[in-house]
Amino acid sequence: MSKAPVRVAVTGAAGQIGYSLLFRIASGEMLGKDQPVILQLLDLPQAQKAVKGVMMELEDCAFPLLAGMVATDDPNVAFKDADYCLLVGARPRGPGMERADLLTANGAIFTVQGKAIAENANENVKVLVVGNPCNTNAYIAGAAARKVGRTNPNNYHGMLRLDHNRALSQLAAKTGRPVSSLKKMVVWGNHSPTMYADYRFCTSNGDSVKALVNDHAWNNDVFLPTVGKRGAAIIDARGLSSAASAANAAIDHMHDWALGSDDWVTMGVPSDGSYGIPAGVVFGVPCECKNGDFKIIQGLEIDEYSREKINKTLGELEDERAAVADMLK
Ligand code: NAD
Ligand code: LMR
């Protein structure tokens, strides 16, 4: 017997990540080739015509798993009974806009959306924020949802999976080992250049990747800046921010959360206080996923170098949290 459809809400549906993401969700790459989906697409009023165009193309694919579509500019409609929400739409940084202005502009969006999710979605909804600054946007949405109750505040995630995947590719190139052999990667902290991509625990077919690399200068001077500034390098090369790789990472994050992972995966989740990260801060940490749930890997040793890196990215997130504190009262 075929499964009942699940509802997947996607915001920023007319944008460039949306254009890479929606077709893969509808084809079953996110939730499995046996899971029908209903797409609930949110975008701004002026983008509704473009959303309709994307829906026409989705229709033209005749995806067997696509059980329905809704287009709207109303968050209460988009998140109604949603099982999964991918919050991609965000306010980009405009000319003359300071970082604090960006945080405030997005704060307004994610307060409204977090509340609308908590009031309308399935109680077990899984939420992934892609729109930048994604850790703090996820924190804001989670804080707004917490006030309503109903949904699980731990289920409001920020996307660090693109950074995790970028790190794996760089390590595969350095070691000459296939990406598929690399296990136990983690990217700590904020989705920003302060993130700390940490391969100290990483193995390839049982070999320590740290021992294979054996080059602290490469780690410090090449690997970390390459992974941390990859988003900016792509904007420089393409004239647009990463889209297909960002959509791919969103698919990976939700796929593993829903269906399980056979390896550590980096997720930006509300801290449980472990590793000295204050509870509630949305921080990239290593997780394992099983039975539709995720668990933070505990007890990893944090050496002095790593502590310094983790503190730096944490400091940035604490500053962002302070900048939006008034909005969450
Ligand atoms: P885009 O400008 O092509 O599309 C954004 C879409 O969001 C537009 O259609 C816009 O109308 C819509 N939108 C804006 N405000 C909205 C709101 N309040 N509600 C609903 N929709 C809204 O941008 P894109 O390239 O698709 O990127 C989207 C976001 O993802 C950006 O914030 C970008 O920085 C971020 N991003 C994050 C990562 C990551 O790894 N976390 C990677 C790449 C990009
Ligand atoms: C990325 O990592 O590719 C994006 O977050 C970059 C950006 O600033 O949009």
Side-chain angles (χ1 to χ4, degrees):
M1 212 175 89
S2 65
K3 288 182 171 177
V6 293
R7 294 178 180 272
V8 181
V10 178
T11 76
Q16 47 149 6
I17 294 178
Y19 197 67
S20 286
L21 183 61
L22 294 169
F23 297 83
R24 295 186 61 188
I25 299 173
S27 73
E29 285 181 65
M30 186 170 92
L31 297 172
K33 296 284 182 187
D34 60 347
Q35 178 58 68
V37 292
I38 297 170
L39 291 175
Q40 307 191 156
L41 308 178
L42 180 74
D43 210 305
L44 299 173
Q46 61 270 29
Q48 290 302 306
K49 187 172 173 214
V51 174
K52 295 278 166 15
V54 176
M55 289 168 76
M56 287 160 69
E57 285 203 73
L58 282 159
E59 272 173 22
D60 293 350
C61 294
F63 287 121
L65 292 172
L66 185 55
M69 287 188 273
V70 175
T72 180
D73 59 8
D74 180 350
N76 294 311
V77 174
F79 299 130
K80 187 80 194 141
D81 299 325
D83 301 288
Y84 301 88
C85 298
L86 293 104
L87 308 187
V88 179
R91 175 83 187 272
R93 195 199 284 251
M97 228 173 152
E98 296 301 329
R99 193 177 171 79
D101 300 330
L102 186 70
L103 283 166
T104 317
N106 278 298
I109 295 172
F110 287 88
T111 319
V112 169
Q113 293 189 358
K115 182 169 180 281
I117 291 170
E119 286 174 346
N120 293 284
N122 180 328
E123 285 179 25
N124 298 315
V125 65
K126 292 175 167 54
V127 181
L128 176 64
V129 179
V130 176
N132 281 322
C134 66
N135 294 56
T136 296
N137 289 342
Y139 170 75
I140 292 168
R146 207 179 282 264
K147 283 194 198 159
V148 177
R150 276 192 81 240
T151 59
N152 180 352
N154 290 326
N155 282 357
Y156 289 73
H157 293 184
M159 191 169 88
L160 269 289
R161 186 60 176 265
L162 180 54
D163 312 299
H164 180 104
N165 290 346
R166 286 168 171 166
L168 288 178
S169 278
Q170 295 298 321
L171 284 174
K174 175 71 175 171
T175 58
R177 300 288 181 102
V179 165
S180 60
S181 77
L182 301 174
K183 306 287 176 206
K184 299 190 174 174
M185 182 65 212
V186 49
V187 182
W188 303 94
N190 199 6
H191 173 68
S192 88
T194 65
M195 72 181 81
Y196 172 42
D198 180 4
Y199 59 81
R200 291 176 304 134
F201 311 103
C202 203
T203 60
S204 165
N205 300 325
D207 299 326
S208 155
V209 167
K210 186 172 179 218
L212 287 172
V213 171
N214 193 25
D215 187 344
H216 178 73
W218 178 80
N219 179 37
N220 194 68
D221 304 337
V222 179
F223 175 70
L224 291 179
T226 301
V227 176
K229 295 181 190 160
R230 187 71 163 184
I234 287 167
I235 292 172
D236 185 45
R238 250 169 56 83
L240 286 170
S241 67
S242 63
S245 57
N248 180 67
I251 296 271
D252 284 350
H253 183 122
M254 281 306 206
H255 173 276
D256 290 348
W257 192 0
L259 302 176
S261 61
D262 58 2
D263 182 18
W264 295 5
V265 288
T266 301
M267 293 172 138
V269 306
S271 174
D272 60 1
S274 49
Y275 300 109
I277 312 303
V281 174
V282 174
F283 205 82
V285 286
C287 293
E288 263 171 341
C289 301
K290 213 197 273 181
N291 302 326
D293 208 354
F294 70 96
K295 209 171 68 187
I296 301 174
I297 307 282
Q298 299 290 339
L300 299 174
E301 191 212 326
I302 305 297
D303 60 22
E304 205 179 314
Y305 178 83
S306 303
R307 175 53 60 196
E308 196 184 302
K309 297 282 181 202
I310 287 174
N311 283 348
K312 185 168 182 216
T313 192
L314 174 60
E316 186 179 53
L317 280 169
E318 291 280 44
D319 287 348
E320 292 184 13
R321 193 155 76 142
V324 299
D326 279 349
M327 305 184 71
L328 303 177
K329 281 184 183 149

